[in-house]
Structures are given as structure tokens and as C-alpha cells.
């Protein structure tokens, strides 16, 4: 595995263990050139799926982007990393088992909203408010940059819920 810091082609595995929900293997690595430490995850990928975004743009389904959006929506909320992993893994499984090689970005966004609704009402509202504003022109992945602003202004979450 190439080092993300110095791009050296070799790194050593220092530790290797399954994650809590046992759906992936976490490996701690150390670059044999610069000594930087980083972590990689090994997960099952059932099939390659292309996400079709607005304007007919296409890109490979990327679990880490999905996880980033969910994590941001749940920021500073009482939602464990394990619950986030479960939600993301559930969506990934649905995408990969849908039996289609292409999957609409909007459908993915709806699945995230469905999942967040059950997980945490504030996280759901954060995601939904930004996502719905995107309309046709933008994609839920751009949510990642927008939610930070929303979250900053969200000092008191009481009274929000029962959407
Ligand atoms: Zn390095």
C-alpha cells in the first residue's frame, strides 16, 4: 500500500483486526520510508456500481464519501461510529445488491435520509435541509461542504424533531 504522505510504494502492516461489527478488517500501517502511520480498511465489495449524478455525470460508488456525509450530519450528536458504520454498510449493501450497474445519486440521497431519520432527528434535519435545497442542480455529495456551515449555526438542538 502506497504511503499517502510521501507516496513511497511500500508500507508495513503493524496491526490487523476486524472492526466491531465484523464487516471489515482494519489494518494499521507504517511507511517504511518516512515512518508515517495510517490505517486502511478491507471490506467486501460485491460489485462495481456507477453513481449517476445530475447532468449525467458518472463516478464509481465510493463508500468513504458516503461515510463522510453521514458522519458530518451526525457531528457532535450522540451517535456512535458503530451506528454510522452500520448505516453506511446497510446502504452500500443495498446499492451493491440492487442488481443494477448504475444507481441514481438522488436515490442514494433518499436512502441516507431514510437511515438518518431512524438514527438521529437532528442529523436527519441537517442532511435533509441541505439536500433538499440542492434541487436538481447539485448532488448530495456536495452536502459535505455545506453541512459544516449548517452545523456551526446549530447551537441549540432542542425543539427540533418529530419531523
Ligand atoms: Zn511515507
Amino acid at each position: 500500500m502506497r504511503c499517502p504522505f510521501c507516496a513511497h510504494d511500500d508500507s508495513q502492516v503493524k496491526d490487523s483486526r476486524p472492526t466491531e461489527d465484523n464487516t471489515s478488517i482494519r489494518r494499521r500501517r507504517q511507511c517504511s520510508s518516512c515512518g508515517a502511520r495510517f490505517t486502511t480498511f478491507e471490506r467486501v465489495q460485491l460489485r462495481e456500481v456507477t453513481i449517476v449524478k445530475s447532468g449525467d455525470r458518472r463516478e464509481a460508488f465510493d463508500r468513504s464519501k458516503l461515510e463522510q456525509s453521514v458522519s458530518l450530519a451526525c457531528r457532535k450528536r450522540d451517535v456512535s461510529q458503530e451506528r454510522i458504520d452500520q448505516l453506511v454498510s446497510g446502504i452500500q449493501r443495498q446499492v451493491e445488491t440492487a442488481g443494477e450497474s448504475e444507481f441514481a445519486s438522488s436515490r442514494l440521497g433518499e436512502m441516507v435520509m431514510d437511515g438518518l431519520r431512524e438514527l438521529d432527528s437532528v442529523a436527519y434535519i441537517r442532511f435533509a435541509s441541505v439536500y433538499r435545497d440542492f434541487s436538481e442542480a447539485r448532488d448530495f455529495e456536495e452536502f459535505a461542504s455545506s453541512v459544516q456551515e449548517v452545523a456551526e449555526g446549530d447551537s441549540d438542538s432542542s425543539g427540533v424533531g418529530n419531523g
Side-chain angles (χ1 to χ4, degrees):
M1 179 68 68
R2 175 174 293 180
C3 172
F5 302 97
C6 73
H8 183 69
D9 268 334
D10 189 38
S11 58
Q12 291 177 304
V13 175
K14 293 296 185 187
D15 183 50
S16 184
R17 64 179 65 177
T19 54
E20 262 181 75
D21 63 357
N22 213 22
T23 60
S24 58
I25 305 286
R26 179 201 303 263
R27 294 188 209 283
R28 298 200 183 282
R29 296 170 180 270
Q30 184 165 24
C31 174
S32 42
S33 173
C34 74
R37 292 169 184 271
F38 54 100
T39 304
T40 57
F41 290 90
E42 178 186 313
R43 301 180 195 276
V44 173
Q45 181 176 41
L46 298 174
R47 59 185 296 162
E48 299 279 344
V49 176
T50 301
I51 301 299
V52 182
K53 304 162 80 167
S54 57
D56 218 28
R57 286 176 296 140
R58 280 146 211 270
E59 68 177 40
F61 172 70
D62 184 342
R63 186 192 196 280
S64 61
K65 281 187 182 176
L66 181 62
E67 184 175 346
Q68 191 189 18
S69 288
V70 173
S71 296
L72 277 166
C74 296
R75 206 164 71 114
K76 293 183 181 170
R77 298 296 301 163
D78 187 23
V79 180
S80 67
Q81 182 60 42
E82 193 185 354
R83 298 293 303 278
I84 293 171
D85 276 344
Q86 282 172 359
L87 172 58
V88 173
S89 293
I91 292 173
Q92 180 185 20
R93 206 151 39 236
Q94 287 182 65
V95 169
E96 290 179 353
T97 58
E100 298 153 33
S101 59
E102 294 190 340
F103 204 89
S105 174
S106 56
R107 231 172 115 196
L108 199 54
E110 297 290 338
M111 286 160 72
V112 174
M113 284 203 282
D114 285 347
L116 286 176
R117 188 184 290 131
E118 288 170 27
L119 209 57
D120 184 271
S121 60
V122 172
Y124 164 71
I125 287 162
R126 280 177 188 164
F127 186 89
S129 62
V130 176
Y131 176 74
R132 290 196 167 125
D133 281 348
F134 285 173
S135 66
E136 301 288 306
R138 298 169 74 184
D139 290 290
F140 91 96
E141 280 165 1
E142 292 169 32
F143 163 79
S145 55
S146 307
V147 75
Q148 284 169 308
E149 295 154 31
V150 173
E152 301 302 342
D154 187 18
S155 55
D156 182 10
S157 59
S158 63
V160 181
N162 301 324

